Coordinates of all heavy atoms in Angstrom, one line a residue:
S107 N -17.1 33.6 -9.3 CA -18.5 33.8 -8.9 C -18.5 34.1 -7.4 O -17.4 34.2 -6.8 CB -19.3 32.5 -9.1 OG -18.8 31.5 -8.2
L108 N -19.7 34.3 -6.9 CA -19.7 34.8 -5.5 C -19.8 33.6 -4.5 O -20.6 32.7 -4.8 CB -21.0 35.7 -5.3 CG -21.1 36.9 -6.3 CD1 -22.4 37.6 -6.1 CD2 -19.9 37.8 -6.2
F109 N -19.0 33.6 -3.5 CA -19.1 32.6 -2.5 C -18.5 33.1 -1.2 O -17.8 34.1 -1.2 CB -18.4 31.3 -3.0 CG -16.9 31.4 -3.1 CD1 -16.0 30.8 -2.2 CD2 -16.3 32.1 -4.2 CE1 -14.6 30.9 -2.3 CE2 -14.9 32.2 -4.3 CZ -14.1 31.6 -3.4
H110 N -18.8 32.4 -0.1 CA -18.3 32.8 1.2 C -16.9 32.4 1.2 O -16.6 31.2 1.5 CB -19.2 32.2 2.3 CG -18.7 32.6 3.6 ND1 -18.6 33.9 4.0 CD2 -18.4 31.9 4.7 CE1 -18.2 34.0 5.3 NE2 -18.1 32.8 5.7
D111 N -16.0 33.3 1.0 CA -14.6 33.0 0.8 C -13.8 33.0 2.2 O -13.5 34.0 2.7 CB -14.0 34.1 -0.1 CG -12.6 33.7 -0.6 OD1 -12.0 32.8 0.0 OD2 -12.1 34.4 -1.5
V112 N -13.6 31.8 2.7 CA -12.8 31.6 3.9 C -11.4 31.0 3.7 O -10.8 30.5 4.6 CB -13.6 30.8 4.9 CG1 -14.9 31.5 5.4 CG2 -13.9 29.4 4.3
L113 N -11.0 31.0 2.4 CA -9.8 30.3 2.0 C -8.6 31.1 2.4 O -8.5 32.3 2.3 CB -9.7 30.1 0.5 CG -10.8 29.1 -0.1 CD1 -10.7 29.1 -1.6 CD2 -10.7 27.8 0.6
E114 N -7.5 30.4 2.8 CA -6.2 31.0 3.0 C -5.3 30.5 1.9 O -4.7 29.5 2.0 CB -5.7 30.6 4.4 CG -4.4 31.2 4.7 CD -3.6 30.5 5.8 OE1 -4.2 29.8 6.6 OE2 -2.4 30.7 5.9
L115 N -5.3 31.2 0.8 CA -4.5 30.9 -0.4 C -3.2 31.7 -0.3 O -3.3 32.9 -0.1 CB -5.2 31.2 -1.7 CG -6.5 30.3 -2.0 CD1 -6.9 30.6 -3.4 CD2 -6.2 28.8 -1.8
R116 N -2.1 31.0 -0.6 CA -0.8 31.8 -0.7 C -0.4 31.7 -2.1 O 0.0 30.6 -2.6 CB 0.2 31.1 0.2 CG -0.1 31.1 1.7 CD 0.9 30.4 2.5 NE 1.0 29.0 2.2 CZ 0.6 28.0 3.0 NH1 0.2 28.3 4.2 NH2 0.8 26.8 2.7
E117 N -0.5 32.8 -2.8 CA -0.2 32.8 -4.2 C 1.3 32.8 -4.5 O 2.1 33.5 -3.8 CB -0.8 34.1 -4.9 CG -2.3 34.0 -4.9 CD -2.9 35.2 -5.7 OE1 -2.4 35.6 -6.7 OE2 -4.0 35.7 -5.2
R118 N 1.7 31.9 -5.4 CA 3.2 31.8 -5.7 C 3.3 32.0 -7.2 O 3.5 31.0 -7.9 CB 3.7 30.4 -5.3 CG 3.4 30.0 -3.9 CD 4.3 30.6 -2.9 NE 4.1 30.1 -1.6 CZ 4.2 30.8 -0.5 NH1 4.5 32.1 -0.5 NH2 4.1 30.2 0.7
P119 N 3.2 33.2 -7.7 CA 3.3 33.4 -9.2 C 4.7 33.0 -9.6 O 5.7 33.4 -8.9 CB 3.1 34.9 -9.3 CG 2.5 35.4 -8.0 CD 3.0 34.5 -7.0
V120 N 4.8 32.3 -10.7 CA 6.1 31.8 -11.1 C 6.7 32.7 -12.2 O 6.0 32.8 -13.3 CB 6.0 30.3 -11.6 CG1 7.4 29.8 -12.0 CG2 5.5 29.4 -10.5
E121 N 7.8 33.3 -12.0 CA 8.4 34.2 -13.0 C 9.4 33.5 -13.8 O 9.6 33.8 -15.0 CB 9.1 35.4 -12.3 CG 8.3 36.1 -11.2 CD 7.8 37.4 -11.7 OE1 7.9 37.7 -12.9 OE2 7.2 38.1 -10.9
T122 N 10.2 32.6 -13.2 CA 11.3 32.0 -13.9 C 11.7 30.6 -13.3 O 11.0 30.2 -12.4 CB 12.5 33.0 -13.6 OG1 13.7 32.4 -14.3 CG2 12.9 33.1 -12.1
A123 N 12.6 30.0 -13.9 CA 13.0 28.6 -13.5 C 13.5 28.7 -12.1 O 14.2 29.6 -11.7 CB 14.1 28.1 -14.4
G124 N 13.2 27.6 -11.3 CA 13.8 27.6 -9.9 C 12.8 27.1 -8.9 O 11.7 26.7 -9.2
P125 N 13.2 27.2 -7.6 CA 12.3 26.8 -6.5 C 11.1 27.6 -6.4 O 11.2 28.9 -6.6 CB 13.2 26.8 -5.3 CG 14.4 27.6 -5.7 CD 14.5 27.6 -7.2
V126 N 9.9 27.0 -6.1 CA 8.7 27.7 -6.0 C 8.2 27.6 -4.5 O 7.7 28.6 -3.9 CB 7.6 27.2 -6.9 CG1 6.3 28.0 -6.8 CG2 8.1 27.2 -8.4
V127 N 8.3 26.4 -4.0 CA 7.8 26.1 -2.6 C 8.9 25.3 -2.0 O 9.3 24.3 -2.5 CB 6.4 25.4 -2.6 CG1 6.1 24.9 -1.2 CG2 5.3 26.3 -3.1
Q128 N 9.2 25.6 -0.7 CA 10.1 24.7 0.0 C 9.3 24.2 1.2 O 9.0 24.9 2.2 CB 11.3 25.5 0.5 CG 12.3 24.7 1.3 CD 12.9 23.5 0.5 OE1 13.5 23.8 -0.6 NE2 12.8 22.3 0.9
A129 N 8.9 22.9 1.1 CA 8.2 22.3 2.2 C 9.2 21.5 3.1 O 10.4 21.4 2.7 CB 7.2 21.3 1.6
A130 N 8.8 21.0 4.2 CA 9.7 20.3 5.1 C 10.2 19.0 4.4 O 11.4 18.7 4.6 CB 8.9 19.9 6.4
E131 N 9.4 18.4 3.6 CA 9.7 17.1 3.1 C 10.2 17.1 1.6 O 10.7 16.1 1.1 CB 8.5 16.1 3.2 CG 7.9 16.0 4.6 CD 9.0 15.4 5.6 OE1 9.8 14.6 5.1 OE2 8.9 15.7 6.8
F132 N 10.0 18.2 1.0 CA 10.4 18.3 -0.5 C 10.5 19.7 -0.9 O 10.0 20.6 -0.2 CB 9.4 17.5 -1.3 CG 8.0 18.0 -1.2 CD1 7.6 19.2 -1.9 CD2 7.0 17.4 -0.5 CE1 6.3 19.7 -1.8 CE2 5.7 17.9 -0.3 CZ 5.3 19.0 -1.0
A133 N 11.1 19.9 -2.1 CA 11.1 21.2 -2.8 C 10.3 21.1 -4.0 O 10.3 20.0 -4.7 CB 12.5 21.6 -3.1
L134 N 9.5 22.1 -4.3 CA 8.8 22.2 -5.6 C 9.4 23.2 -6.5 O 9.7 24.3 -6.0 CB 7.3 22.6 -5.2 CG 6.3 22.4 -6.3 CD1 6.1 21.0 -6.7 CD2 4.9 23.0 -5.8
E135 N 9.8 22.7 -7.7 CA 10.5 23.6 -8.6 C 9.8 23.7 -9.9 O 9.0 22.9 -10.3 CB 11.9 23.0 -8.9 CG 12.8 22.8 -7.6 CD 14.0 21.9 -7.9 OE1 14.2 21.5 -9.1 OE2 14.7 21.7 -7.0
A136 N 10.0 24.8 -10.6 CA 9.4 25.1 -11.9 C 10.4 25.3 -13.0 O 11.5 25.7 -12.7 CB 8.5 26.3 -11.8
Q137 N 10.0 24.9 -14.2 CA 10.8 25.2 -15.4 C 9.9 25.7 -16.5 O 8.8 25.2 -16.6 CB 11.5 23.9 -15.8 CG 12.6 23.4 -14.9 CD 13.9 24.2 -15.1 OE1 14.1 24.9 -16.1 NE2 14.8 24.1 -14.0
P138 N 10.4 26.6 -17.3 CA 9.6 27.1 -18.4 C 9.4 26.1 -19.4 O 10.3 25.3 -19.7 CB 10.3 28.3 -18.9 CG 11.7 28.1 -18.5 CD 11.7 27.3 -17.2
L139 N 8.2 26.0 -20.1 CA 7.9 25.1 -21.2 C 7.8 26.0 -22.4 O 7.7 27.2 -22.4 CB 6.7 24.3 -20.9 CG 6.8 23.4 -19.6 CD1 5.4 22.8 -19.3 CD2 7.9 22.3 -19.8
S140 N 7.7 25.3 -23.6 CA 7.5 26.0 -24.8 C 6.2 25.7 -25.4 O 5.9 24.8 -26.2 CB 8.6 25.4 -25.8 OG 8.4 26.0 -27.1
H141 N 5.2 26.6 -25.1 CA 3.8 26.4 -25.5 C 3.4 27.7 -26.2 O 4.3 28.6 -26.4 CB 3.0 26.1 -24.3 CG 1.6 25.6 -24.6 ND1 1.3 24.8 -25.7 CD2 0.4 25.9 -24.0 CE1 0.0 24.5 -25.7 NE2 -0.6 25.2 -24.7
S142 N 2.2 27.9 -26.6 CA 1.7 29.1 -27.3 C 1.5 30.2 -26.3 O 1.3 31.4 -26.7 CB 0.5 28.8 -28.1 OG -0.5 28.2 -27.3
V143 N 1.4 29.9 -25.0 CA 1.2 31.0 -24.0 C 2.2 30.6 -22.9 O 2.8 29.5 -22.9 CB -0.2 31.0 -23.4 CG1 -1.2 31.3 -24.5 CG2 -0.5 29.6 -22.7
A144 N 2.4 31.6 -21.9 CA 3.4 31.3 -20.8 C 3.0 30.0 -20.1 O 1.8 29.8 -19.7 CB 3.3 32.5 -19.9
A145 N 4.0 29.1 -20.0 CA 3.7 27.8 -19.3 C 4.9 27.4 -18.5 O 6.0 27.6 -19.0 CB 3.3 26.8 -20.4
F146 N 4.6 26.7 -17.4 CA 5.7 26.2 -16.6 C 5.3 24.7 -16.2 O 4.2 24.4 -15.9 CB 5.9 27.0 -15.3 CG 6.6 28.3 -15.4 CD1 5.9 29.4 -15.7 CD2 8.0 28.4 -15.4 CE1 6.5 30.6 -15.9 CE2 8.6 29.6 -15.6 CZ 7.9 30.7 -15.8
G147 N 6.3 23.9 -16.2 CA 6.1 22.5 -15.7 C 6.7 22.5 -14.2 O 7.4 23.5 -13.8
Y148 N 6.4 21.5 -13.5 CA 6.8 21.4 -12.1 C 7.4 20.1 -11.8 O 7.1 19.1 -12.4 CB 5.5 21.6 -11.2 CG 4.8 22.9 -11.4 CD1 3.8 23.1 -12.3 CD2 5.3 24.0 -10.6 CE1 3.2 24.3 -12.4 CE2 4.6 25.3 -10.8 CZ 3.6 25.4 -11.7 OH 3.0 26.6 -11.9
R149 N 8.3 20.1 -10.8 CA 8.7 18.9 -10.2 C 8.9 18.9 -8.7 O 9.2 20.0 -8.2 CB 10.0 18.4 -10.9 CG 11.3 19.2 -10.5 CD 12.4 18.6 -11.2 NE 13.7 19.1 -10.7 CZ 14.8 18.4 -10.7 NH1 14.8 17.1 -11.1 NH2 15.9 18.9 -10.2
L150 N 8.7 17.8 -8.1 CA 8.8 17.7 -6.7 C 10.1 16.9 -6.4 O 10.2 15.8 -6.9 CB 7.6 17.0 -6.2 CG 7.3 16.8 -4.7 CD1 5.8 16.6 -4.5 CD2 8.0 15.6 -4.2
V151 N 10.9 17.4 -5.6 CA 12.2 16.7 -5.3 C 12.4 16.5 -3.8 O 12.4 17.5 -3.0 CB 13.4 17.6 -5.8 CG1 14.7 16.9 -5.4 CG2 13.3 17.8 -7.3
E152 N 12.4 15.3 -3.4 CA 12.6 14.9 -2.0 C 14.2 14.9 -1.8 O 14.9 14.2 -2.6 CB 12.0 13.6 -1.7 CG 12.2 13.1 -0.3 CD 11.7 11.6 -0.1 OE1 11.8 10.8 -1.1 OE2 11.2 11.4 1.0
P153 N 14.7 15.5 -0.7 CA 16.1 15.4 -0.6 C 16.6 14.0 -0.3 O 15.9 13.2 0.2 CB 16.4 16.3 0.7 CG 15.1 16.7 1.2 CD 14.0 16.2 0.3
D154 N 17.9 13.8 -0.7 CA 18.5 12.5 -0.4 C 18.6 12.3 1.1 O 18.8 13.3 1.8 CB 19.9 12.4 -1.0 CG 19.8 12.4 -2.6 OD1 18.7 12.0 -3.1 OD2 20.8 12.7 -3.2
G155 N 18.5 11.1 1.6 CA 18.6 10.8 3.0 C 19.4 9.5 3.2 O 20.2 9.1 2.4
R156 N 19.3 9.0 4.4 CA 20.0 7.7 4.7 C 19.0 6.7 5.3 O 18.1 7.1 6.0 CB 21.2 8.0 5.7 CG 22.2 8.9 5.1 CD 23.5 8.8 5.9 NE 24.2 7.6 5.7 CZ 25.1 7.3 4.7 NH1 25.3 8.2 3.8 NH2 25.7 6.1 4.6
R157 N 19.2 5.5 4.9 CA 18.3 4.4 5.4 C 19.1 3.7 6.5 O 20.2 3.2 6.3 CB 18.0 3.4 4.3 CG 17.2 2.2 4.7 CD 17.0 1.2 3.6 NE 16.2 1.7 2.5 CZ 16.7 2.0 1.3 NH1 18.0 1.7 1.0 NH2 15.9 2.4 0.3
M158 N 18.5 3.6 7.7 CA 19.2 2.9 8.8 C 19.2 1.4 8.6 O 18.2 0.8 8.1 CB 18.5 3.2 10.1 CG 18.4 4.7 10.4 SD 20.0 5.6 10.4 CE 20.7 5.0 11.9
L159 N 20.2 0.7 8.9 CA 20.4 -0.7 8.7 C 20.3 -1.4 10.0 O 21.2 -1.4 10.9 CB 21.7 -1.1 8.0 CG 22.0 -0.4 6.7 CD1 23.4 -0.5 6.2 CD2 21.0 -0.9 5.6
P160 N 19.2 -2.1 10.3 CA 18.9 -2.8 11.6 C 20.0 -3.7 12.1 O 20.4 -3.7 13.3 CB 17.6 -3.5 11.4 CG 16.9 -2.8 10.2 CD 18.0 -2.4 9.4
D161 N 20.6 -4.5 11.1 CA 21.6 -5.4 11.6 C 22.9 -4.7 12.0 O 23.5 -5.1 13.0 CB 21.9 -6.5 10.4 CG 22.3 -5.8 9.1 OD1 21.8 -4.6 8.9 OD2 23.1 -6.3 8.4
R162 N 23.2 -3.6 11.4 CA 24.4 -2.9 11.8 C 24.1 -2.2 13.1 O 25.0 -2.1 14.0 CB 24.7 -1.8 10.7 CG 24.9 -2.3 9.3 CD 26.3 -3.1 9.2 NE 27.4 -2.2 9.4 CZ 28.6 -2.6 9.8 NH1 28.8 -3.9 10.1 NH2 29.6 -1.8 10.0
L163 N 22.9 -1.6 13.3 CA 22.6 -1.0 14.6 C 22.7 -2.1 15.7 O 23.3 -1.8 16.8 CB 21.2 -0.4 14.5 CG 21.0 0.8 13.7 CD1 19.5 1.1 13.5 CD2 21.6 2.0 14.3
A164 N 22.2 -3.2 15.4 CA 22.2 -4.3 16.4 C 23.7 -4.7 16.8 O 24.0 -4.9 17.9 CB 21.4 -5.5 15.9
A165 N 24.5 -4.7 15.7 CA 25.9 -5.1 15.9 C 26.7 -4.2 16.8 O 27.5 -4.6 17.6 CB 26.6 -5.2 14.6
F166 N 26.2 -2.9 16.8 CA 26.9 -1.9 17.7 C 26.1 -1.7 19.0 O 26.4 -0.9 19.8 CB 27.0 -0.5 16.9 CG 28.1 -0.5 15.9 CD1 27.8 -0.6 14.5 CD2 29.4 -0.4 16.3 CE1 28.8 -0.5 13.6 CE2 30.4 -0.3 15.3 CZ 30.1 -0.4 14.0
G167 N 25.0 -2.4 19.1 CA 24.2 -2.4 20.3 C 23.5 -1.0 20.5 O 23.2 -0.6 21.6
I168 N 23.1 -0.4 19.3 CA 22.4 0.9 19.4 C 20.9 0.7 19.3 O 20.4 0.0 18.3 CB 22.9 1.8 18.2 CG1 24.4 2.0 18.4 CG2 22.2 3.1 18.2 CD1 25.0 2.7 17.2
T169 N 20.2 1.1 20.3 CA 18.7 0.9 20.3 C 18.0 2.2 20.8 O 18.7 3.1 21.2 CB 18.4 -0.2 21.3 OG1 18.9 0.2 22.6 CG2 18.9 -1.5 20.9
G170 N 16.7 2.2 20.7 CA 15.8 3.2 21.2 C 16.2 4.6 20.8 O 16.5 4.8 19.6
P171 N 16.1 5.5 21.8 CA 16.4 6.9 21.5 C 17.8 7.2 20.9 O 18.0 8.2 20.2 CB 16.2 7.6 22.8 CG 15.6 6.6 23.7 CD 15.9 5.3 23.2
D172 N 18.7 6.3 21.2 CA 20.1 6.5 20.6 C 20.1 6.6 19.1 O 20.9 7.2 18.5 CB 21.0 5.4 21.1 CG 21.6 5.7 22.5 OD1 21.4 6.8 23.0 OD2 22.1 4.8 23.1
I173 N 19.1 5.8 18.5 CA 19.1 5.8 17.0 C 18.8 7.2 16.5 O 19.4 7.7 15.6 CB 18.0 4.8 16.5 CG1 18.4 3.4 17.0 CG2 17.9 4.9 15.0 CD1 17.4 2.3 16.6
G174 N 17.8 7.8 17.1 CA 17.4 9.2 16.7 C 18.5 10.2 16.9 O 18.8 11.1 16.1
R175 N 19.2 10.0 18.0 CA 20.3 10.9 18.4 C 21.4 10.7 17.3 O 22.0 11.7 16.9 CB 20.8 10.4 19.8 CG 21.4 11.6 20.6 CD 21.6 11.2 22.1 NE 20.3 11.1 22.7 CZ 20.0 10.1 23.6 NH1 20.9 9.2 24.0 NH2 18.8 10.1 24.2
L176 N 21.7 9.5 17.0 CA 22.7 9.3 15.9 C 22.3 9.9 14.6 O 23.1 10.5 13.9 CB 23.0 7.8 15.8 CG 23.9 7.3 14.7 CD1 25.3 7.9 14.9 CD2 24.0 5.8 14.7
Q177 N 21.0 9.7 14.2 CA 20.6 10.3 13.0 C 20.7 11.8 13.0 O 21.1 12.4 12.0 CB 19.1 9.9 12.7 CG 18.9 8.5 12.2 CD 17.4 8.1 12.1 OE1 16.7 8.3 13.1 NE2 17.0 7.7 11.0
H178 N 20.4 12.4 14.1 CA 20.4 13.8 14.3 C 21.8 14.4 14.3 O 22.1 15.4 13.7 CB 19.6 14.2 15.5 CG 19.4 15.7 15.6 ND1 20.0 16.5 16.6 CD2 18.7 16.6 14.8 CE1 19.6 17.7 16.4 NE2 18.8 17.8 15.4
E179 N 22.7 13.7 15.1 CA 24.0 14.3 15.3 C 25.1 13.7 14.4 O 26.2 14.3 14.3 CB 24.4 14.1 16.8 CG 23.5 15.0 17.7 CD 23.7 14.6 19.2 OE1 24.7 14.0 19.5 OE2 22.8 15.1 20.0
G180 N 24.8 12.6 13.7 CA 25.8 12.1 12.8 C 26.8 11.1 13.4 O 27.5 10.5 12.7

Side-chain angles (χ1 to χ4, degrees):
S107 69
L108 306 178
F109 67 108
H110 184 51
D111 189 349
V112 294
L113 296 176
E114 184 197 336
L115 293 188
R116 298 180 295 249
E117 294 186 37
R118 311 281 188 217
V120 182
E121 309 257 7
T122 180
V126 183
V127 168
Q128 182 62 56
E131 305 298 331
F132 59 79
L134 193 61
E135 302 169 0
Q137 289 284 341
L139 298 173
S140 172
H141 194 38
S142 54
V143 298
F146 285 90
Y148 298 92
R149 71 177 192 148
L150 183 157
V151 178
E152 179 186 35
D154 294 339
R156 297 196 70 86
R157 177 189 293 115
M158 304 306 284
L159 301 169
D161 54 330
R162 304 287 298 156
L163 287 167
F166 285 104
I168 300 170
T169 56
D172 276 349
I173 297 175
R175 211 166 289 142
L176 175 58
Q177 281 176 307
H178 188 249
E179 294 171 12

